[in-house]
Amino acid sequence: MNKMAVKYDEALDDALYGMKNAEKRKIRVSFLITRKEERLDEIKKAARTAVNRYMKKYPEVAVWTLYQQLFQEECFSLVAAEESSEWEQMRKNTRKVHAKGKLCAEDLAPLLYLKTFITGLDPDDRAKKVVIDEAQDYSFMEIFSLRKAFQTDLFTIVGDLAQGIYHYRGLENWETLQNEIFPTANYLTLQKTYRTTIEIMNLANSLLDDMPDALPKAEPVVRHGDVPAFLYRDEHAIKNIHPLIKDLLEKGMNNFAFVTKTKHEAEQLAHELPSFEIMDENTDVLGDRVILPAYLAKGLEFDVVILYCNEHTYERNELDLKMLYVAMTRPLHRLYLIGRQPEDFLLTDKDGLWTL
């Protein structure tokens, strides 16, 4: 098209400056201008038609069909660097899920990636600005696919690695994002916490000392409160909760949460505390008295939190440490821990960080 436009422009120059007969020059210039516009329109239409004809030569392949082929042995061997029994089992399990017409959460990012490069996203479906909270629980592939699909660097990514309870698929560090997805990103460490008292935060921070990686500790603002208290679980433990709650209500506390390690333990506790509502993945509105497992507690806050441990105790592994850290950082004012022994919550005699 550029060559065509240049050709007509040169002809116009010749007519304007080379023809002495004014009437003939006028006719020639008018013809060239009109013909130039017609020819450029013809070329544009022909180009669109040519592209459509060319693309029709390619077989129409649904992204979903193409993605499923990746889990077949003959296709997987072409893209995988190595084979192993773990890879083979992963493919087998994934095929079973797909055969039921279902998807795993881990399927979404690669599906978006494939769609981006095969058909692309409609411009109307692209976000100009993306905000991701709880980013520690997103995988590298999820964030990478979003970046490619939306074609923007305007991402605000917020997270706390100490709360990464989905570490098997989540991020292990922020450097990976900086180095491989957002090389020009600004990185800020925000360590101030305005939710929890100094006494509660000191106990929660002590768990980070046992983490395999050095993680920054939250710095509570200057707001003191009671030291977290451990209560022995015996036949009177649940019965004694009611006068404790009554006393706390009189002191201005408005909402209470029992946090257990597992869903099963939450369901058991709900039978003993009928005045408390059990929370699950489908709960939209929280009441003033709830029971929930620790993995659902992220992002929530309560005046009083009571960690409850019956059969399922916390162990010194990365997942349990992070779940316990999440649970301990939910209260605004008071933290209680009910168990058979302090070790159920990994409590040791650390400089008076908790009391009986």
Side-chain angles (χ1 to χ4, degrees), residues 298-317:
K298 282 199 310 171
L300 302 178
E301 63 182 31
F302 306 91
D303 289 340
V304 179
V305 169
I306 305 167
L307 304 190
Y308 182 82
C309 185
N310 184 15
E311 301 171 355
H312 304 101
T313 62
Y314 291 90
E315 300 178 8
R316 291 191 184 279
N317 58 60

Side-chain angles (χ1 to χ4, degrees), residues 244-256 289:
L244 174 62
I245 291 176
K246 182 179 178 181
D247 178 63
L248 292 170
L249 284 169
E250 293 174 353
K251 293 179 179 178
M253 308 297 163
N254 294 312
N255 47 66
F256 305 80
R289 301 185 182 190

Side-chain angles (χ1 to χ4, degrees), residues 84-102:
S84 67
S85 59
E86 289 81 7
W87 282 118
E88 184 178 357
Q89 187 62 44
M90 179 276 293
R91 296 202 310 275
K92 182 178 179 181
N93 293 339
T94 303
R95 289 197 299 267
K96 286 182 179 179
V97 174
H98 292 174
K100 298 177 182 177
K102 297 181 179 181

Side-chain angles (χ1 to χ4, degrees), residues 106 135-140 160-173 211-213 215 298 317-323:
E106 292 79 6
Q136 73 278 354
D137 293 328
Y138 284 71
S139 69
F140 173 88
D160 180 0
L161 294 176
Q163 297 188 44
I165 61 175
Y166 301 104
H167 66 287
Y168 66 93
R169 63 177 177 86
L171 296 170
E172 296 181 359
N173 58 69
M211 294 284 190
D213 300 313
L215 298 174
K298 282 199 310 171
N317 58 60
E318 184 177 358
L319 176 58
D320 278 17
L321 285 165
K322 288 183 175 180
M323 279 209 301

Side-chain angles (χ1 to χ4, degrees), residues 121-131 146-155:
L121 253 63
D122 188 291
D124 291 338
D125 293 329
R126 295 176 190 162
K128 295 181 180 179
K129 171 76 175 178
V130 181
V131 179
L146 289 172
R147 164 66 184 84
K148 290 295 183 182
F150 294 147
Q151 299 181 25
T152 178
D153 284 326
L154 296 178
F155 276 70

Side-chain angles (χ1 to χ4, degrees), residues 91-207:
R91 296 202 310 275
K92 182 178 179 181
N93 293 339
T94 303
R95 289 197 299 267
K96 286 182 179 179
V97 174
H98 292 174
K100 298 177 182 177
K102 297 181 179 181
L103 289 173
C104 300
E106 292 79 6
D107 290 322
L108 300 180
L111 280 169
L112 176 61
Y113 181 83
L114 285 175
K115 180 173 177 60
T116 299
F117 284 94
I118 294 174
T119 64
L121 253 63
D122 188 291
D124 291 338
D125 293 329
R126 295 176 190 162
K128 295 181 180 179
K129 171 76 175 178
V130 181
V131 179
I132 300 178
D133 195 12
E134 302 290 354
Q136 73 278 354
D137 293 328
Y138 284 71
S139 69
F140 173 88
M141 188 63 185
E142 286 171 332
I143 297 178
F144 180 77
S145 297
L146 289 172
R147 164 66 184 84
K148 290 295 183 182
F150 294 147
Q151 299 181 25
T152 178
D153 284 326
L154 296 178
F155 276 70
T156 299
I157 299 174
V158 183
D160 180 0
L161 294 176
Q163 297 188 44
I165 61 175
Y166 301 104
H167 66 287
Y168 66 93
R169 63 177 177 86
L171 296 170
E172 296 181 359
N173 58 69
W174 304 119
E175 288 76 15
T176 303
L177 298 186
Q178 288 180 279
N179 297 335
E180 302 187 38
I181 303 180
F182 303 104
T184 61
N186 294 321
Y187 176 76
L188 298 175
T189 299
L190 306 177
Q191 293 181 246
K192 293 292 184 183
T193 175
Y194 295 87
R195 172 190 293 140
T196 308
T197 63
I198 290 175
E199 287 73 17
I200 294 174
M201 202 66 240
N202 285 342
L203 181 60
N205 277 338
S206 69
L207 296 173

